[in-house]
Amino acid sequence: MNECIQETWPDIPYGPWRSTCSALHLYLQIIGKYRLARSPWVNHSWHATLYTDARGFTTGLVPDGPGGIELSLDLIDHEVVGRATDGRIARFSLEPMSVAYFHGRAVDLIRTLGGTPEFHGRPNEIPEAIPFAEDKMERPYDANAVTRFFKACVAVTNVLQIFRTAYLGKVSPVHLFWGSFDIAVTRFSGRHAPLHPGGIPALPDEITREAYSHEVSSAGFWPGGGAIDFPAFYSYAYPMPTGFAAARISPEAAYYDENLGEFLLPYDAVRLANNPEDMLMTFLESTYRAAAELGNWDRAALECKVGKPRQPRPM
């Protein structure tokens, strides 16, 4: 395998870092909940998500304290870093610890920056979750596995960003949903969707229903956990059009998971491909096309060519 591809698309088997991954998920929930608590509501909960940056994940600028505060998880130097617009900086190390300890350190960090460390104290989208402040079990921290995961997230984000450009209709940012722990991008048909039934563990139905208020084709990446024990790409449509599950999808490694109601493409199939970016783009395009065609979306009005640097779209 080409060493450059291996560096860009590292091996990230879920099993060896399962416990660290679970801890990282909860740490990101704490950081994300701070942004959620201080930011005005944006459709589909886009005000709550995190973003991949050059060193890990960030809240972006949160309106709080002296004007604004940004919290970041640096997954290269392995620390939580907070910056305020008045110049204050605070940080603490990511290392083996309990979720309760991380929660306490995050609260102290926000307060040190002049912010308001008041946010919902229980995890979302995790069945029978323990409140952060009460979760005192020691968690491991595999720094090498975390950095490999971050590098994979950079590669994934770059492809999703390109895929995002080929759409004139409403499309989400490429962002990390810390509840479900996935990097996602979502395209919208422009039409209202049937009321979502809700029922996602530890997530109020009103949140789910607002998120799925309009027809979507959504795709993204999970590190593993929950219903699957391997890293994978996914794609689904809501509402699911008739025939979607039986649609012919590329590449060959992709398949429809009946339990999840989504198409999956194992990360390893992409990682080991001669051209990982092309394989992933093929999956994104073919699953979207199935959703749009079977759902009778106005593709001619919604789609465009992939964006190119320094090239305005022709009118």
Side-chain angles (χ1 to χ4, degrees), residues 1-12 148 151-152 267 271-273 276:
M1 183 179 178
N2 184 292
E3 289 186 7
C4 183
I5 293 177
Q6 193 170 22
E7 176 70 15
T8 304
W9 297 88
D11 189 13
I12 50 169
R148 290 197 307 273
K151 290 183 177 180
Y267 171 84
R271 178 178 69 86
L272 297 171

Side-chain angles (χ1 to χ4, degrees), residues 6 9 22 29 36 49 95 151 174 187 195 205 227 232-233 304:
Q6 193 170 22
W9 297 88
S22 175
Q29 289 219 10
L36 170 64
T49 57
E95 57 192 2
K151 290 183 177 180
V174 176
R187 291 176 171 183
L195 187 68
D205 288 345
F233 301 96
C304 60

Side-chain angles (χ1 to χ4, degrees), residues 89-150:
I89 299 177
R91 50 175 36 96
F92 66 89
S93 296
L94 287 168
E95 57 192 2
M97 68 181 94
S98 69
V99 174
Y101 182 78
F102 179 97
H103 176 264
R105 292 296 304 271
V107 166
D108 290 344
L109 181 147
I110 295 166
R111 188 175 290 117
T112 297
L113 296 172
T116 308
E118 298 173 1
F119 49 86
H120 183 252
R122 185 184 292 269
N124 290 117
E125 301 186 53
I126 297 176
E128 301 178 1
I130 302 171
F132 301 124
E134 299 175 17
D135 189 346
K136 299 181 180 180
M137 181 180 73
E138 187 77 4
R139 308 278 183 141
Y141 188 80
D142 183 339
N144 288 332
V146 169
T147 297
R148 290 197 307 273
F149 167 65
F150 164 61

Side-chain angles (χ1 to χ4, degrees), residues 24 27-36 39 46-62 68-75 79-84 94 150 153-154 157 161 173-178 181 183:
L24 182 63
Y27 302 159
L28 289 166
Q29 289 219 10
I30 291 168
I31 298 303
K33 280 176 175 285
Y34 166 67
R35 183 185 183 209
L36 170 64
S39 301
W46 293 351
H47 61 297
T49 57
L50 303 178
Y51 306 100
T52 307
D53 68 8
R55 302 189 69 85
F57 297 106
T58 179
T59 60
L61 190 64
V62 176
I69 289 173
E70 178 183 17
L71 301 184
S72 301
L73 262 66
D74 182 331
L75 304 184
E79 58 183 4
V80 178
V81 183
R83 295 178 174 87
L94 287 168
F150 164 61
C153 288
V154 171
T157 297
Q161 293 282 21
V174 176
H175 46 190
L176 175 79
F177 281 97
W178 40 261
F181 201 11
I183 296 176

Side-chain angles (χ1 to χ4, degrees), residues 299-311:
R299 294 184 60 196
L302 294 170
E303 299 172 16
C304 60
K305 292 183 179 180
V306 169
K308 303 289 185 182
R310 302 176 66 183
Q311 293 185 20

Side-chain angles (χ1 to χ4, degrees), residues 214-230:
H214 291 70
E215 293 179 346
V216 301
S217 172
S218 190
F221 167 70
W222 286 314
I228 59 172
D229 60 359
F230 56 91

